[in-house]
Amino acid sequence: MSSPAPDPPPVLPWRGSTARRHSGWPAGYWRVVVLRGLRLRCPVCGRGRLFATYFRMNASCSCCGVGFAREHGQWVGSLDINTFVVAFGLMIASAFAPDWPLPITLVVWGAAAILVPLVTFRFSRGLWTAIVYLSGGVY
Ligand SMILES: [Zn+2]
């Protein structure tokens, strides 16, 4: 007769549960949380807005009160997502672009490299907030 395996230690010292280990969450709940993040809503309640202005996030949810930013450097992950997605997307788009002369190519792709990350910035923040919530960092 074998004894049951002991619980693994908490992933984060201040939060003993994660998306996988959170017993109160139904299966597939992570999809709901990610969609809330991509809709720029609070990943916990789905109602509060993440952003007060285009670039400035709210410190906490106006509906449920959870804090979105807990640590310095927390948003580096969203910058990584934004950089990777935009760079990969622009590389794919440039592969299918028409054969423009060099000055037009530089203007088009230079402008796209500046403007597209500004558009996707909010959504990468929302996605990252959802990921942080699923890993126990939003509470
Ligand atoms: Zn909320």
Side-chain angles (χ1 to χ4, degrees):
M1 182 171 152
S2 64
S3 62
D7 277 345
V11 174
L12 301 172
W14 62 90
R15 182 83 176 185
S17 62
T18 63
R20 195 160 45 108
R21 294 190 47 216
H22 201 295
S23 59
W25 288 351
Y29 179 66
W30 67 270
R31 290 186 197 93
V32 174
V33 171
V34 167
L35 284 176
R36 286 174 179 168
L38 290 175
R39 286 174 39 232
L40 308 180
R41 300 292 177 173
C42 169
V44 179
C45 67
R47 287 175 290 161
R49 294 180 184 274
L50 287 179
F51 284 87
T53 64
Y54 192 85
F55 287 109
R56 192 169 60 80
M57 281 188 77
N58 289 318
S60 60
C61 178
S62 60
C63 291
C64 66
V66 297
F68 296 133
R70 293 286 180 176
E71 297 181 15
H72 290 291
Q74 177 177 321
W75 302 117
V76 173
S78 74
L79 293 177
D80 292 341
I81 291 172
N82 201 18
T83 301
F84 177 78
V85 167
V86 169
F88 198 67
L90 289 181
M91 281 191 284
I92 290 174
S94 68
F96 294 102
D99 195 14
W100 291 316
L102 181 62
I104 293 175
T105 301
L106 290 176
V107 167
V108 167
W109 296 114
I114 293 170
L115 296 177
V116 173
L118 295 177
V119 172
T120 57
F121 157 79
R122 291 159 55 95
F123 301 101
S124 65
R125 276 278 177 106
L127 176 61
W128 186 247
T129 304
I131 291 170
V132 169
Y133 169 59
L134 289 172
S135 61
V138 173
Y139 49 93

